Amino acid sequence: MARVMVFGTFDKIHPGHEDMFRQARVLVTDPFLIVSVARDSIVERIKGFLPKNSETVRRDKVAAHPLVDEAVMGDAEGYIEHIRNARPDIIALGYDQRGEYVDNLEKDLKDAGLDAQIVRLQSFHPEKYKTSKMPE
């Protein structure tokens, strides 16, 4: 079994997220998909607004998805500790994930003694399936 980890806000699980889960699962033959759900405070800092659903509600919805084996909360500060706890073999980044943690991820993993492979997933109709572009 190989542990694959993805990250996101997941305020509304839509076909783009489901495709992300599928892409992450097919990276290995025997996947265990771990989904990291961003904390409310982190979402507000990065996006400039709070998600509609609380972090607990978002995590519970992700955990109930049939393609997800485990849903975890991201760290309230930083991001390495919850990755260390999850012990992923692969970290699969969404096509549009950018910013400080993505830019420093490889170095920070190495500094933490983690050797997870980092891969970038493909987009899935981003003009249609992106939470910020979808009607409520």
Side-chain angles (χ1 to χ4, degrees):
M1 177 175 54
R3 297 171 69 81
V4 182
M5 190 172 197
V6 299
F7 306 81
T9 302
F10 306 106
D11 207 13
K12 171 193 288 189
I13 299 175
H14 54 68
H17 291 136
E18 292 175 331
D19 185 71
M20 177 187 196
F21 299 159
R22 277 191 290 278
Q23 284 186 57
R25 293 185 71 82
V26 300
L27 293 171
V28 295
T29 55
D30 188 17
F32 184 87
L33 181 61
I34 305 158
V35 178
S36 171
V37 177
R39 297 278 182 167
D40 290 344
S41 59
I42 301 297
V43 174
E44 184 175 33
R45 182 172 59 81
I46 292 172
K47 295 186 177 187
F49 55 88
L50 283 169
K52 283 187 206 121
N53 295 297
S54 73
E55 58 192 36
T56 307
V57 168
R58 292 183 287 116
R59 185 204 55 219
D60 291 349
K61 286 182 179 183
V62 168
H65 196 282
L67 293 173
V68 175
D69 295 299
E70 181 179 6
V72 300
M73 295 304 309
D75 294 327
E77 291 187 28
Y79 57 89
I80 288 296
E81 282 310 308
H82 85 291
I83 294 174
R84 185 190 320 272
N85 292 338
R87 301 174 332 275
D89 300 296
I90 298 173
I91 291 177
L93 298 173
Y95 77 97
D96 62 344
Q97 290 179 313
R98 305 269 182 268
E100 62 195 63
Y101 98 85
V102 173
D103 295 342
N104 299 319
L105 183 58
E106 188 172 350
K107 177 191 178 307
D108 290 346
L109 289 172
K110 185 177 179 180
D111 290 350
L114 301 170
D115 62 355
Q117 177 187 1
I118 301 169
V119 300
R120 181 69 75 167
L121 301 175
Q122 299 297 307
S123 65
F124 179 77
H125 303 291
E127 72 288 348
K128 186 176 181 182
Y129 298 119
K130 186 160 175 70
T131 305
S132 61
K133 295 181 179 183
M134 297 181 75
E136 303 198 23

